[in-house]
Amino acid sequence: MELTGADIFVRCLEEEGVEYVFGYPGGAVLYLYDALFRQDAVKHILARHEQGAAHAADGYARATGRPGVVLVTSGPGVTNAVTGIATAYMDSIPLVVFSGQVPTHLIGNDAFQEVDSVGVTRPCVKHNFLVKDVKDLALTIKKAFYIATTGRPGPVVVDIPKDVTARKAVFRYPGTISMRSYNPVVRGHSGQIRKAVDLMLRAKRPILYTGGGVILGEGSGALTELTRLLGFPITNTLMGLGAYPATDRQFVGMLGMHGTYEANMAMHNCDVLIAVGARFDDRVTGNIEKFCPHARVIHIDIDPASISKNVKVDIPIVGSVDAVLREMIKVVGESDRRADPGALTEWWKQIDEWRSMDCLKYDRQSDVIKPQYVLECLYRLTAGDAYVTSDVGQHQMWTAQFYKFDRPRRWINSGGLGTMGFGLPAAMGVQLAFPDETVVCVTSEASVQMCIQELATCRQYGLPIKVVNLSNRYMGMVRQWQEFFYQGRYAMSYMEALPDFVRLAESYGHAGMHIERPEDVEGALREALKVRDKAVFLDFATDQAENVYPMIPAGAGQNEMILV
């Protein structure tokens, strides 16, 4: 039985178990939208901008571990989605993005709403396809989902000309797929694993440095087991928060530009560094010439291209994080050896001295709302159990510092690309995936306005997201850099024409609250968290001059932090 390309598209989504498609219609994809309209298995979520659709699918993928699916039209549809695609690419998030294209006979003719989607997206996707024959459509979609979700995950774009969606072919969807040119390694090399364990057990000042790859690779359970077995300190990157319980004593906090004093000092002074699912990003390493000067480095990663890319490593292990860590647990368990307990005791004593600096302290007696206090209240009132998305800037760093994530996939933020406007649409994707859970978007007045039209999407689908707007009437992180490094010249960072966010939220059919006094913070949050039938926009007027500390200035080493 032959089906149209549009019906084949929908059947493929059904075969992949797709729950939601996030998108926005247009001329080149109308056959696809018509096919979606004629079935009930796959639900479509109408975003108000293609960037919002991509971020929503991204949030869904980060929270569930399943691929997010996006559908946009040709031309401006796909170019609007590029920021969301690049955001997912930088953080290794599995997305399958379907873009419409002009009919095949018009490709290259500068037809109405034509753009070279494959060329435009090539630098920010794991792979992309242009489907020119309807007979290739089902196999191409199968490949797209396989590539997006295996190895190091990432976004895949499938560009489909309009005539391909109208033509017919026999529908056959492969149950499995094998690609000669793409065979990601899963099991780590046993010899390398044994060498790594031997080095770990000889360490005097070890530390585990773990990133988002632990979460993406479902390795959090194995990481926790191994860390407790070894008794080593552990730190997470911004993307890795939740991979290890933040309330556990062995956790020394986030590392990097705005990491804790104890995490950065432990990294700088360690003699063995065990990097797991992390890519040695510049915001983590600081000045690469000064990074971990005394350490021998073990690096575990699914992506061989990430190993020794930024930092030369001594023992590379390519493989699935979960599989490698579980084999390490087995090797340690079979051995009578353990790390030198006396050396470990001394190491922990030193770390506790660094901890005593209390690098996250702030003025708790202020008569102006401190953003840190808002996040501490939020953490306490949600018992650390909310899904928290964020935009990018000071509020993102404060959330990472003050909301303690004990479980993976609860912290949803744009790390690599640093995309303002990410938080609200990402929260939509999370709330759709988990309708009964508390989902909070922590944002600021600059970031939230970039995709604020998605409040209409929240209204249409009844998404009770809590928006925590930490407003300081500035582009906060820009202002902080201008204060520190540009002699206080606040060039174009002051937000001089802000809307009334309460009335704006109400105009979209949601609830709005404006909070100016510290004593009203907890009550406002309590009230907002009770609302389940609409979104609540909490506009907190916070201290304009508050900065994020600690901070490693650009070009400095991990031990050269600004603390106050």
Side-chain angles (χ1 to χ4, degrees):
M1 181 177 170
E2 291 190 331
L3 299 176
T4 66
D7 287 324
I8 288 172
F9 165 79
V10 172
R11 288 287 300 275
C12 291
L13 298 186
E14 290 178 13
E15 291 286 338
E16 289 292 336
V18 172
E19 185 179 16
Y20 292 108
V21 173
F22 300 87
Y24 202 95
V29 288
L30 286 183
Y31 285 118
L32 299 178
Y33 270 88
D34 188 58
L36 284 169
F37 184 81
R38 290 184 278 105
Q39 57 82 55
D40 297 318
V42 181
K43 304 175 187 70
H44 181 273
I45 302 300
L46 177 65
R48 295 316 192 258
H49 190 286
E50 290 89 350
Q51 180 180 343
H55 290 330
D58 183 323
Y60 175 91
R62 293 181 199 236
T64 64
R66 302 190 292 272
V69 180
V70 183
L71 176 58
V72 296
T73 195
S74 62
V78 70
T79 57
N80 280 347
V82 166
T83 297
I85 295 168
T87 299
Y89 178 71
M90 288 292 283
D91 290 342
S92 304
I93 305 304
L95 293 189
V96 179
V97 181
F98 296 97
S99 57
Q101 186 53 277
V102 300
T104 51
H105 68 279
L106 291 178
I107 292 176
N109 284 11
D110 293 333
F112 176 66
Q113 290 194 331
E114 180 187 2
V115 75
D116 178 6
S117 301
V118 169
V120 166
T121 61
R122 184 175 287 121
C124 60
V125 294
K126 188 175 178 183
H127 197 66
N128 54 21
F129 299 92
L130 171 61
V131 184
K132 292 186 176 180
D133 191 325
V134 67
K135 293 192 291 292
D136 299 329
L137 183 59
L139 179 59
T140 302
I141 292 175
K142 182 68 177 180
K143 287 180 178 179
F145 277 94
Y146 175 65
I147 292 169
T149 57
T150 55
R152 180 178 180 173
V156 176
V157 168
V158 182
D159 199 34
I160 311 175
K162 187 170 184 178
D163 57 319
V164 171
T165 65
R167 291 174 184 161
K168 290 188 174 183
V170 174
F171 173 66
R172 294 189 185 91
Y173 199 66
T176 59
I177 195 160
S178 176
M179 299 173 66
R180 187 171 60 183
S181 60
Y182 176 69
N183 290 291
V185 174
V186 176
R187 291 187 60 83
H189 189 281
S190 292
Q192 291 292 91
I193 290 172
R194 290 187 177 277
K195 281 173 63 178
V197 169
D198 179 66
L199 179 58
M200 287 156 58
L201 296 181
R202 287 190 283 114
K204 306 294 185 186
R205 301 184 308 279
I207 189 167
L208 285 142
Y209 149 53
T210 60
V214 177
I215 295 170
L216 296 170
E218 305 295 347
S220 299
L223 175 68
T224 302
E225 186 177 344
L226 179 64
T227 303
R228 289 174 176 165
L229 178 63
L230 294 169
F232 292 177
I234 180 170
T235 180
N236 291 156
T237 66
L238 178 71
M239 298 306 302
L241 293 175
Y244 186 86
T247 55
D248 190 271
R249 186 186 177 277
Q250 285 176 245
F251 183 64
V252 295
M254 181 178 74
L255 81 160
M257 180 171 279
H258 296 293
T260 66
Y261 183 71
E262 53 268 31
N264 284 326
M265 291 299 288
M267 286 283 288
H268 183 76
N269 289 279
C270 73
D271 67 347
V272 173
L273 174 64
I274 307 109
V276 188
R279 59 189 178 87
F280 295 91
D281 174 76
D282 61 288
R283 289 293 174 102
V284 161
T285 63
N287 187 332
I288 207 81
E289 307 268 325
K290 301 177 180 179
F291 179 70
C292 294
H294 317 292
R296 298 190 66 192
V297 181
I298 300 162
H299 190 184
I300 303 165
D301 205 289
I302 191 75
D303 181 11
S306 290
I307 293 180
S308 288
K309 179 179 179 180
N310 297 326
V311 170
K312 187 177 183 304
V313 305
D314 298 282
I315 303 177
I317 304 172
V318 178
S320 155
V321 164
D322 186 62
V324 171
L325 292 179
R326 292 203 178 280
E327 188 165 346
M328 282 185 163
I329 292 166
K330 183 180 176 185
V331 172
V332 173
E334 290 172 351
S335 172
D336 294 330
R337 293 176 55 206
R338 289 293 181 270
D340 181 343
L344 265 186
T345 298
E346 286 301 307
W347 183 223
W348 274 112
K349 183 179 177 183
Q350 174 63 76
I351 290 170
D352 286 339
E353 283 184 23
W354 291 325
R355 269 181 170 157
S356 69
M357 295 283 293
D358 191 15
C359 64
L360 299 182
K361 61 179 176 288
Y362 65 93
D363 180 7
R364 296 175 181 275
Q365 307 304 316
S366 173
D367 57 0
V368 179
I369 295 174
K370 294 290 185 179
Q372 302 95 318
Y373 176 65
V374 177
L375 292 163
E376 284 185 329
C377 284
L378 179 65
Y379 172 72
R380 187 174 70 254
L381 294 175
T382 58
D385 202 36
Y387 286 85
V388 181
T389 73
S390 86
D391 275 299
V392 171
Q394 287 180 314
H395 63 273
Q396 176 190 26
M397 295 300 111
W398 282 316
T399 309
Q401 291 174 337
F402 287 92
Y403 198 100
K404 301 182 190 334
F405 295 93
D406 278 345
R407 288 194 279 168
R409 301 194 181 278
R410 295 279 170 153
W411 168 231
I412 314 292
N413 81 118
S414 168
L417 196 64
T419 306
M420 294 171 69
F422 174 83
L424 178 58
M428 297 188 319
V430 177
Q431 190 75 79
L432 283 159
F434 301 105
D436 297 327
E437 297 287 344
T438 298
V439 179
V440 181
C441 168
V442 181
T443 186
S444 68
E445 71 283 14
S447 284
V448 76
Q449 292 190 87
M450 290 199 170
C451 283
I452 201 162
Q453 68 275 8
E454 299 305 335
L455 285 173
T457 309
C458 295
R459 176 63 174 172
Q460 181 169 345
Y461 298 99
L463 305 177
I465 294 160
K466 311 300 179 282
V467 180
V468 173
N469 184 45
L470 301 177
S471 175
N472 60 9
R473 284 76 73 201
Y474 273 102
M475 298 175 198
M477 191 60 84
V478 172
R479 184 206 59 76
Q480 178 168 334
W481 277 63
Q482 289 171 333
E483 176 187 332
F484 286 6
F485 310 118
Y486 297 88
Q487 292 75 52
R489 294 186 294 274
Y490 301 124
M492 281 61 80
S493 59
Y494 181 64
M495 306 291 285
E496 294 181 286
L498 290 174
D500 181 332
F501 284 112
V502 172
R503 293 172 67 186
L504 182 61
E506 290 172 348
S507 74
Y508 278 105
H510 302 299
M513 304 169 71
H514 181 71
I515 305 97
E516 294 186 344
R517 302 186 305 168
E519 56 266 34
D520 296 332
V521 168
E522 183 169 334
L525 285 169
R526 282 187 186 279
E527 187 177 342
L529 290 168
K530 293 176 184 175
V531 178
R532 300 303 307 167
D533 61 342
K534 64 181 75 173
V536 182
F537 196 111
L538 297 110
D539 182 31
F540 291 96
T542 66
D543 189 342
Q544 285 189 283
E546 192 69 13
N547 290 321
V548 182
Y549 295 107
M551 181 177 183
I552 301 175
Q558 287 181 309
N559 63 331
E560 299 173 315
M561 287 162 277
I562 301 172
L563 295 177
V564 288

